[in-house]
């Protein structure tokens, strides 16, 4: 119970901080945009302005991560096609994949299958895992999404060709705010773990090394209404 209470308090604090940051950050973005309209393309100050705008985008991403972490976990089950959620996820990440020339490969069972779960939760899980892989993979690498379904369980593996996670960090990757990236919130995998468990599933690191990293999460294809709960 103390763990649950502490997590709720942490979420409340994170949400409050994110909201306090978001308002002035919006003002900075607005005035930077106005200034951009006034500065000519050859003005020496433009490179400084572009750096400000890039940092604002980075801070906005952090604020978004904070707010996502603080969202309620209670799933809202509905019937949907797995392929629809996959396509929506790919559309969100398509520009990043193409700009880094990363190949996205689909293997395994036909994704055109009906699920009864929370499509919003599943989409957030996939986006966070794939973004994690995109950050790890070098230009020209690959990410493979493998799908299998058996005995009412959906199993999805996401494998990337990145350099892997060092052994001393592997036990901590699902901890909130733990990150090895210079610019990272450390919340992506924590969000994935929480949402997966809210859907009655589990997630784990299958392997990681110089040959790449593989995450796997398993979900029931039909989420029973009595599994709904607010875990945080």
């Amino acid at each position: 119970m103390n763990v649950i209470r502490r997590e709720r308090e942490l979420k409340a604090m994170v949400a409050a901080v994110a909201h306090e940051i978001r308002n002035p950050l919006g003002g900075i973005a607005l005035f930077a945009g106005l200034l951009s309209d006034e500065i000519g393309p050859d003005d020496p100050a433009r490179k400084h302005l572009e750096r400000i705008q890039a940092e604002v985008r980075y801070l906005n991403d952090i604020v978004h991560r904070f707010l996502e972490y603080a969202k309620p976990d209670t799933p809202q089950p509905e019937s949907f096609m797995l392929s629809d959620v996959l396509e929506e996820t790919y559309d969100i990440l398509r520009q990043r994949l193409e700009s880094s020339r990363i190949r996205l490969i689909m293997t395994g069972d036909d994704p055109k299958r009906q699920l009864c779960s929370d499509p919003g939760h599943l989409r957030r899980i996939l986006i966070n895992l794939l973004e994690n892989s995109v950050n790890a993979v070098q230009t020209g690498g690959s990410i493979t999404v493998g799908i299998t379904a058996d005995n009412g369980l959906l199993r999805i593996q996401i494998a990337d060709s990145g350099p892997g996670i060092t052994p001393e960090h592997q036990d901590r990757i699902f901890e909130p705010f733990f990150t090895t990236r210079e610019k990272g919130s450390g919340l992506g995998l924590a969000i994935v773990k929480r949402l997966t468990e809210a859907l009655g599933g589990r997630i784990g690191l299958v392997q990681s090394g110089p040959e790449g990293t593989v995450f796997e999460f398993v979900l029931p294809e039909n989420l029973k209404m009595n599994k709904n709960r607010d875990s945080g």
Side-chain angles (χ1 to χ4, degrees):
M1 184 64 68
N2 288 336
V3 173
I4 295 174
R5 184 173 66 248
R6 283 198 299 272
E7 186 174 351
R8 285 176 175 164
E9 290 171 352
L10 178 60
K11 286 183 182 180
M13 181 192 71
V14 165
V17 170
H19 283 295
E20 287 296 321
I21 293 173
R22 187 164 59 173
N23 291 333
L25 198 59
I28 294 170
L30 173 63
F31 286 111
L34 293 173
L35 191 57
S36 179
D37 294 337
E38 297 175 5
I39 295 178
D42 299 323
D43 193 309
R46 176 158 290 278
K47 66 177 181 179
H48 301 303
L49 177 60
E50 290 174 351
R51 176 64 184 272
I52 291 171
Q53 291 176 315
E55 293 299 324
V56 167
R57 288 192 294 270
Y58 164 67
L59 289 173
N60 267 321
D61 181 64
I62 294 294
V63 169
H64 172 75
R65 293 281 188 179
F66 277 21
L67 292 173
E68 187 178 16
Y69 177 73
K71 279 183 181 178
D73 297 337
T74 306
Q76 303 297 322
E78 61 181 81
S79 181
F80 63 94
M81 295 284 286
L82 173 60
S83 55
D84 290 341
V85 172
L86 288 169
E87 188 60 37
E88 291 169 6
T89 302
Y90 298 160
D91 284 343
I92 291 170
L93 296 172
R94 197 179 306 279
Q95 184 176 358
R96 289 192 63 190
L97 292 166
E98 291 177 353
S99 64
S100 297
R101 301 197 305 277
I102 296 173
R103 291 174 296 124
L104 191 61
I105 304 163
M106 176 81 69
T107 64
D109 293 349
D110 186 352
K112 292 183 178 179
R113 58 189 313 102
Q114 201 79 16
L115 304 178
C116 182
S117 188
D118 187 316
H121 278 26
L122 179 56
R123 184 165 50 248
R124 289 165 66 193
I125 291 168
L126 288 166
I127 289 172
N128 277 295
L129 283 174
L130 287 171
E131 281 186 337
N132 199 60
S133 291
V134 169
N135 290 330
V137 173
Q138 297 178 353
T139 299
S142 65
I143 299 173
T144 301
V145 178
I147 299 170
T148 57
D150 186 45
N151 292 325
L153 294 176
L154 176 69
R155 188 182 305 271
I156 298 181
Q157 285 196 350
I158 296 182
D160 65 57
S161 61
I165 303 166
T166 58
E168 62 268 25
H169 292 148
Q170 292 182 13
D171 290 339
R172 301 190 60 194
I173 56 175
F174 292 108
E175 292 180 12
F177 305 108
F178 175 77
T179 181
T180 58
R181 294 172 54 206
E182 182 180 350
K183 287 190 172 182
S185 65
L187 289 174
L189 289 177
I191 291 169
V192 166
K193 184 175 187 295
R194 204 182 72 232
L195 292 176
T196 303
E197 292 174 350
L199 294 178
R202 63 184 185 274
I203 182 167
L205 177 65
V206 176
Q207 66 180 51
S208 189
E211 71 282 359
T213 296
V214 181
F215 283 96
E216 178 183 85
F217 67 98
V218 182
L219 301 174
E221 291 192 282
N222 291 286
L223 182 65
K224 299 291 190 292
M225 294 300 292
N226 61 9
K227 285 183 178 292
N228 289 0
R229 61 185 180 86
D230 185 351
S231 63

